[in-house]
């Protein structure tokens, strides 16, 4: 962490080469963050009206391009400009707005002040009045209604370009009456989980692996990360490169002084419920200014959804972490007509819980959150049954020797069929259980991909033995399929005992006169 003994000299040194006045570049911003981890550490200029909240991070990484683009959007014309930072919960929208505000506070780009408004709260008008009276010494006439008092404040605001931040907007119509007038001095920055489709919308993605590792190293120490680099990469991937999750887990690892292997094991056991990802109320001791844990951040979005959208979210959580063709969703959602389903999908997209176009995908922590919700549904078992029936149908459509055309038609469903085979066999009937694995076997072996097909054949034997017992014709078939795979690869010594087991079992179960025995 940088030590600033002489604040004025340090500030001048850090910012001396930076071009301001609407022309700050990625290079400039990168240079600043190389010298100082977080602009919140710098002393703030005095005599400047601002109420920027404290930063939520020790180290701000990977958002230089977004900071540049945000400034370009806000300076793009001579009337009021609204730029919106959109994205899923935990992706760092508020932190980006804080860092943008701190950066341009130091650059003196908003002499009219930086006014931060907590838009999730209902008293936006009162917050504006409070800033105007406390920081600008304005006193609007008391005989006016609140909206007129706010309008009076805008008209009598301090001169110079002014940044107004509406943080965490959950309903744009609640904010609209309090937007400043169309005067060139006002620039409006909105952070939101909503998809507002404004001309100045900036969609914030999760961090790249490089930046996620940089953030983690800052939290746990570079030496520790370098010693466990493969595990550090695995941890970043496990957390979906989500800044909030990386912040919380990194600080937990540092505080507990545990290995990354231990951390991964704990997350495997408890997932989103693990204490590292939960922020307890009134316990900011190791979480800085973070108010919500990961699940709590997602819960804010979940509570905004209709019942139909919640049902769809739960259904989508059953799919694998792979692109999801919409046609498969329609087949699995048997209770809803296509238009209702589309409406529910748009709700999820509007809150950035779902991303896509032709196919759709969930972030892995959102998938985990929604799976927990799915387990608590009244109709959880029915939803799983309908889901699995779709993929049993897909599996049964794949012949032993699939054509290229058939392979192309089912390939987008294979990852989700594999998800059923690995995690959802409890929802598949005894009669159809073998079909799930035979479909995967046929898809891969039919293309000569025997090494990929083999684990599915082995899993098939294991699952069928466990579920159906040793004395079942489908168990014999599973031996036969695995033997056939070995035979194709010339592994005759592995194939022969399995074929003998299959034959012996079928003779015993079906008798000598049965076609399957022949």
């Amino acid at each position: 962490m940088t030590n600033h003994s002489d604040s004025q000299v340090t500030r001048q040194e850090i910012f001396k080469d930076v071009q301001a006045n609407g022309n700050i570049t990625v290079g400039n911003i990168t240079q600043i963050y190389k010298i100082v981890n977080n602009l919140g550490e710098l002393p703030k200029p005095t005599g400047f009206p601002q109420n920027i909240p404290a930063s939520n991070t020790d180290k701000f990484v990977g958002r230089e391009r977004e900071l540049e683009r945000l400034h370009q959007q806000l300076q793009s014309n001579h009337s009021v400009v609204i730029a919106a930072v959109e994205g899923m919960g935990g992706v760092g929208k508020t932190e980006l707005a804080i860092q943008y505000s701190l950066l341009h506070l130091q650059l003196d780009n908003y002499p009219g002040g930086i006014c931060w408004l907590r838009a999730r709260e209902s008293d936006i008008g009162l917050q504006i009045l409070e800033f105007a009276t406390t920081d600008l010494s304005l006193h609007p006439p008391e005989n006016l209604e609140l909206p007129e008092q706010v309008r009076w404040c805008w008209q009598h605001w301090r001169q110079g370009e002014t940044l107004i931040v509406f943080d965490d907007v959950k309903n744009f119509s609640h904010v609209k009456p309090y937007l400043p007038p169309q005067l060139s001095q006002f620039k409006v920055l909105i952070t939101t989980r909503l998809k507002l489709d404004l001309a100045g919308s900036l969609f914030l993605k999760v961090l790249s692996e490089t930046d996620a590792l940089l953030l983690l190293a800052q939290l746990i120490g570079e030496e520790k990360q370098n010693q466990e680099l493969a595990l550090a990469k695995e941890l970043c991937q496990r957390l979906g490169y989500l800044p909030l999750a990386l912040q919380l887990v990194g600080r937990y690892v540092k505080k507990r002084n545990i290995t990354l292997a231990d951390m991964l094991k704990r997350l495997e056991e408890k997932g989103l419920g693990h204490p590292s990802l939960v922020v307890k109320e009134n316990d900011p001791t190791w979480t800085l200014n973070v108010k919500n844990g990961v699940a709590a951040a997602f819960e804010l979005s979940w509570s905004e959804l209709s019942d139909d959208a919640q049902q769809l979210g739960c259904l989508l959580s059953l799919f694998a972490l792979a692109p999801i063709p919409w046609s498969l969703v329609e087949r699995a959602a048997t209770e809803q007509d296509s238009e209702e389903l589309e409406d529910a999908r748009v709700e999820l997209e509007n809150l950035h819980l779902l991303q896509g176009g032709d196919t759709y995908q969930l972030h892995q922590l959102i998938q985990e959150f929604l799976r927990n919700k799915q387990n608590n549904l009244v109709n959880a078992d029915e939803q799983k049954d309908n889901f699995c029936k779709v993929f049993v149908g897909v599996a049964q459509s794949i012949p032993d020797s699939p054509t290229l055309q058939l392979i192309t038609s089912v390939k987008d469903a294979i990852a989700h069929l594999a998800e059923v085979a690995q995690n959802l066999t409890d929802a598949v009937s005894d009669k159809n259980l073998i079909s799930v694995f035979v479909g995967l076997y046929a898809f891969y072996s039919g293309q000569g991909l025997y090494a990929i097909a083999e684990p599915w054949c082995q899993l098939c034997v294991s699952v069928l033995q466990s579920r159906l017992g040793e004395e079942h014709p489908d168990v014999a078939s599973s031996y036969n399929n695995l033997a056939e795979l070995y035979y194709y690869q010339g592994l005759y010594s592995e194939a022969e005992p399995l074929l003998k087991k299959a034959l012996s079992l079928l003779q015993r179960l079906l008798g000598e006169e049965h076609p399957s025995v022949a």
Side-chain angles (χ1 to χ4, degrees):
M1 197 166 284
T2 315
N3 181 27
H4 306 287
S5 53
D6 187 331
S7 63
Q8 195 55 38
V9 172
T10 305
R11 182 171 172 268
Q12 286 173 355
E13 187 178 319
I14 292 171
F15 290 93
K16 67 181 178 183
D17 297 325
V18 175
Q19 298 296 309
N21 302 319
N23 193 29
I24 188 165
T25 66
V26 168
N28 298 145
I29 297 165
T30 304
Q31 177 190 339
I32 290 168
Y33 281 107
K34 273 183 182 170
I35 300 169
V36 59
N37 285 338
N38 189 312
L39 294 172
E41 298 170 11
L42 289 181
K44 294 179 176 61
T46 53
F48 190 97
Q50 58 85 18
N51 63 340
I52 305 166
S55 169
N56 295 329
T57 182
D58 286 332
K59 171 77 174 170
F60 187 69
V61 299
R63 300 300 197 197
E64 292 87 352
R65 194 168 301 283
E66 286 84 354
L67 285 170
E68 178 196 47
R69 192 171 150 207
L70 203 50
H71 195 58
Q72 287 171 347
Q73 286 175 341
L74 286 166
Q75 303 303 312
S76 61
N77 61 35
H78 299 295
S79 63
V80 67
V81 178
I82 301 176
V85 180
E86 303 177 0
M88 63 184 274
V91 82
K93 302 178 294 297
T94 294
E95 188 58 42
L96 183 74
I98 289 171
Q99 295 294 326
Y100 176 82
S101 301
L102 290 169
L103 177 63
H104 293 280
L105 174 69
Q106 297 290 350
L107 291 169
D108 300 324
N109 277 346
Y110 292 109
I114 297 175
C115 174
W116 189 282
L117 305 166
R118 300 175 304 281
R120 186 164 278 274
E121 297 172 21
S122 56
D123 61 341
I124 296 171
L126 292 174
Q127 290 181 53
I128 295 169
L129 281 189
E130 185 184 345
F131 184 87
T133 54
T134 305
D135 293 81
L136 302 175
S137 301
L138 293 178
H139 299 287
E142 292 180 7
N143 62 340
L144 296 177
E145 295 291 325
L146 179 61
E148 281 71 36
Q149 285 186 315
V150 169
R151 197 173 296 118
W152 187 94
C153 290
W154 294 137
Q155 289 166 352
H156 295 82
W157 204 268
R158 171 176 169 147
Q159 290 298 303
E161 284 212 339
T162 302
L163 179 66
I164 310 294
V165 182
F166 291 87
D167 181 38
D168 199 9
V169 171
K170 68 173 186 176
N171 189 327
F172 189 61
S173 64
H174 292 169
V175 168
K176 216 169 178 182
Y178 297 107
L179 290 174
Q182 297 289 323
L183 298 173
S184 61
Q185 82 172 93
F186 292 108
K187 308 297 178 187
V188 176
L189 173 56
I190 286 171
T191 75
T192 181
R193 294 152 192 261
L194 301 172
K195 206 171 180 181
L196 293 179
D197 291 326
L198 296 170
S201 286
L202 173 68
F203 174 61
L204 203 57
K205 298 179 180 177
V206 295
L207 294 172
S208 67
E209 182 184 70
T210 302
D211 290 327
L213 286 168
L214 190 61
L215 175 57
L216 190 62
Q218 185 68 24
L219 294 163
I220 68 173
E222 280 187 39
E223 187 180 347
K224 184 184 185 77
Q225 178 156 300
N226 291 337
Q227 287 170 351
E228 303 182 74
L229 187 58
L231 290 169
K233 289 182 177 182
E234 191 181 337
L235 183 59
C236 290
Q237 186 180 20
R238 171 69 182 82
L239 297 172
Y241 310 103
L242 188 69
L244 174 60
L246 287 161
Q247 283 279 349
L248 295 174
V249 168
R251 291 180 70 80
Y252 181 92
V253 167
K254 177 76 171 175
K255 184 179 175 70
R256 298 290 179 110
N257 194 24
I258 59 173
T259 66
L260 297 185
D262 278 344
M263 189 68 245
L264 280 161
K265 187 180 174 192
R266 293 179 190 192
L267 287 173
E268 191 60 38
E269 289 169 359
K270 296 188 178 175
L272 284 177
H274 188 269
S276 65
L277 295 172
V278 177
V279 176
K280 292 178 182 173
E281 205 172 343
N282 303 320
D283 181 22
T285 48
W286 58 275
T287 55
L288 291 178
N289 298 293
V290 176
K291 303 287 191 299
N292 292 313
V294 175
F298 297 159
E299 190 71 46
L300 293 171
S301 299
W302 171 263
S303 64
E304 303 278 325
L305 297 173
S306 67
D307 287 346
D308 283 351
Q310 288 183 350
Q311 285 280 337
L312 176 59
C314 290
L315 174 63
L316 289 167
S317 77
L318 299 175
F319 286 84
L321 281 171
I324 304 168
W326 187 245
S327 59
L328 291 175
V329 181
E330 289 180 315
R331 284 162 64 184
T334 53
E335 301 300 311
Q336 287 179 289
D337 71 44
S338 58
E339 216 163 325
E340 287 174 347
L341 205 58
E342 274 177 21
D343 290 343
R345 184 189 74 204
V346 169
E347 273 193 67
L348 292 171
E349 289 180 283
N350 282 347
L351 283 166
H352 292 286
L353 292 169
L354 181 67
Q355 294 162 23
D358 296 331
T359 59
Y360 296 85
Q361 196 151 3
L362 296 172
H363 183 274
Q364 63 202 70
L365 294 183
I366 287 179
Q367 183 206 47
E368 193 174 331
F369 172 81
L370 291 172
R371 278 193 175 178
N372 291 338
K373 294 291 187 185
Q374 202 282 335
N375 287 331
N376 293 321
L377 284 181
V378 174
N379 63 329
D381 290 342
E382 182 187 350
Q383 195 175 68
K384 284 179 182 173
D385 289 346
N386 291 333
F387 178 82
C388 289
K389 280 173 187 169
V390 170
F391 290 98
V392 166
V394 169
Q396 290 174 342
S397 74
I398 305 171
D400 289 341
S401 302
T403 62
L404 185 59
Q405 185 180 4
L406 188 131
I407 287 166
T408 303
S409 71
V410 300
K411 67 179 172 59
D412 291 338
I414 292 300
H416 310 295
L417 177 59
E419 184 69 22
V420 173
Q422 284 178 305
N423 297 313
L424 290 166
T425 52
D426 285 353
V428 180
S429 68
D430 289 355
K431 183 181 78 168
N432 291 325
L433 190 56
I434 192 169
S435 299
V436 173
F437 299 97
V438 170
L440 291 164
Y441 160 68
F443 179 80
Y444 290 117
S445 68
Q447 300 175 72
L449 301 170
Y450 303 127
I452 301 175
E454 187 177 332
W456 294 116
C457 284
Q458 290 169 339
L459 184 60
C460 181
V461 172
S462 165
V463 170
L464 265 62
Q465 282 176 331
S466 172
R467 171 95 158 257
L468 306 176
E470 189 65 45
E471 302 293 304
H472 196 285
D474 285 352
V475 174
S477 297
S478 71
Y479 292 146
N480 199 67
N481 291 336
L482 184 54
E484 193 174 65
L485 196 63
Y486 289 143
Y487 172 79
Y488 290 152
Q489 297 174 82
L491 302 170
Y492 305 130
S493 58
E494 280 89 344
E496 186 179 2
L498 286 166
L499 288 167
K500 285 179 176 176
K501 277 177 82 171
L503 178 59
S504 170
L505 185 51
L506 287 177
Q507 283 171 327
R508 195 160 66 250
L509 292 172
L510 305 178
E512 287 290 345
E513 304 300 314
H514 197 280
S516 293
V517 174

